[in-house]
Amino acid sequence: MPDAVLVAALRTPIGTAFKGSLRDTTAHQLADRIVTAVAEGLDPDLVDDVVLAESHYGGGVIARHAAVTAGLTQVPGVALNRHCAAGLAAVQTAAASVRAGMDRLVLAGGVNSASTAPKLSFRDVEGPWVPPSHPDRPDAPNLDMSITVGWNAAVRAGITREEMDDWALRSHRNAVRALDEGRFKDETVSVETPHGPFEADEHPRRDTSAERLAALKPLHPEIEGFSITAGNACGANDAAAAVAVADAGLGLPALAIVRSWASVAADPAETGLTPVLAIPKALRRAGLDLDDVDLFEINEAFASVAVAAVRRLGLDPDAVNVNGSGCSLGHPVAATGTRMVVSLVHELRRRGGGVAVAAMCAGGGMGSALVLEVPAP
């Protein structure tokens, strides 16, 4: 079985949805930009497929549109959805095809434009319709992740409002430091927009503080003790990210090796705890354990998700989300999983190599994790 290696890993800067720099840039335009960038320098005749996560976009196969734009007219495309973990699933799908010997070079990633996503309609439903992630019920409403994911995870793991706010503040500080130190420079490609070139993540807040986070009102004040706020939750965001996954036998310079992955599921009310299940399962498949991992990124759909995973798995917080995550960088849903992979690869290369795990929960009680080994540059 050939090794699946990453030979390119890039992302766009992350925009704040509806009011940020990418507010008038469509998912197709973002996909065109990132696929073209990740394909640069690769032999078009070697590219077998393009796999892009679209999450809720619902058809059109943006991957094929991006392939044609990138000049890969002989390359097909496929759209993928695993809710929040869709971008991670795209990388896993590409790696599986390469390891199976079916494909030798696949471009994989995800694209999200909350700002320009089309409004869906459904018979007998007034106003916009959103596809449900699971059957609706009071303890796990399918259209309110602040309860289903954030609050339920906090209650089950015994996480306080103060702990979540502290984690969110840390996330912003880590992201701002990473921006100021140029840690994202090698992984980010600019996007031309109607408002000019967009070159750096805009969602992290330099001016946030413990006092400001503590002053925010809970999203559900009618629920006693409810502790989820806009400050300890992720943002709504726009971005794209992609990697090139190759058969190691092609001899292309490898940035990272995909060692293993795993997806899991639990009761929808325990969605926010699924990284606790996915991380050990993925590591077992690689013959590794938690002590072998140098860096983790656990998506901060809500701060409670990352805090719960750190607590239940006994992780060193200093090895988790070192350059920020959902609370600060934002959560461009279909792109986030790939964005995490891209950021981990470049951060570990900066540190001289090692093992990394990207993990996240996903709507409907799902979760996923992927294990990477990054050789020393």
Side-chain angles (χ1 to χ4, degrees), residues 257-330:
I257 305 163
V258 179
R259 286 303 185 201
S260 66
W261 59 89
S263 294
V264 300
D267 185 278
E270 297 190 345
T271 298
L273 301 178
T274 54
V276 178
L277 306 176
I279 291 171
K281 185 174 182 179
L283 286 170
R284 285 195 299 271
R285 290 178 172 181
L288 301 170
D289 58 36
L290 293 169
D291 292 336
D292 295 313
V293 182
D294 297 286
L295 288 179
F296 293 87
E297 184 154 347
I298 302 169
N299 183 43
E300 298 161 357
F302 297 87
S304 58
V305 176
V307 175
V310 167
R311 178 171 297 175
R312 292 201 168 186
L313 294 176
L315 306 182
D316 178 0
D318 290 337
V320 181
N321 299 354
V322 297
N323 292 332
S325 185
C327 287
S328 53
L329 292 172

Side-chain angles (χ1 to χ4, degrees), residues 7-172:
V7 299
L10 296 169
R11 67 177 180 90
T12 70
I14 300 170
T16 299
F18 310 116
K19 59 184 179 181
S21 299
L22 296 176
R23 63 188 181 275
D24 296 314
T25 302
T26 68
H28 287 79
Q29 291 168 328
L30 288 170
D32 291 349
R33 174 65 177 122
I34 202 62
V35 169
T36 298
V38 107
E40 186 175 351
L42 299 176
D43 183 348
D45 292 335
L46 292 179
V47 181
D48 292 303
D49 208 351
V50 178
V51 181
L52 285 187
E54 298 183 20
S55 194
H56 287 306
Y57 287 103
V61 189
I62 294 175
R64 173 57 181 165
H65 188 283
V68 173
T69 301
L72 305 172
T73 55
Q74 306 305 310
V75 179
V78 63
L80 200 65
N81 182 16
R82 200 194 289 274
H83 291 302
C84 297
L88 207 54
V91 180
Q92 296 162 352
T93 298
S97 186
V98 168
R99 292 182 67 170
M102 295 295 100
D103 293 316
R104 300 200 74 190
L105 181 58
V106 179
L107 310 184
V111 58
N112 198 82
S113 176
S115 294
T116 68
K119 297 285 193 297
L120 300 178
S121 61
F122 191 76
R123 183 179 59 187
D124 299 329
V125 174
E126 291 186 12
W129 177 76
V130 177
S133 58
H134 60 274
D136 194 34
R137 61 191 221 217
D139 67 328
N142 59 30
L143 297 182
D144 192 339
M145 296 301 107
S146 71
I147 296 174
T148 301
V149 179
W151 173 236
N152 285 350
V155 171
R156 283 161 170 75
I159 301 167
T160 66
R161 162 78 182 267
E162 290 73 24
E163 288 174 312
M164 288 186 285
D165 285 353
D166 285 347
W167 188 274
L169 179 59
R170 170 186 181 272
S171 182
H172 282 280

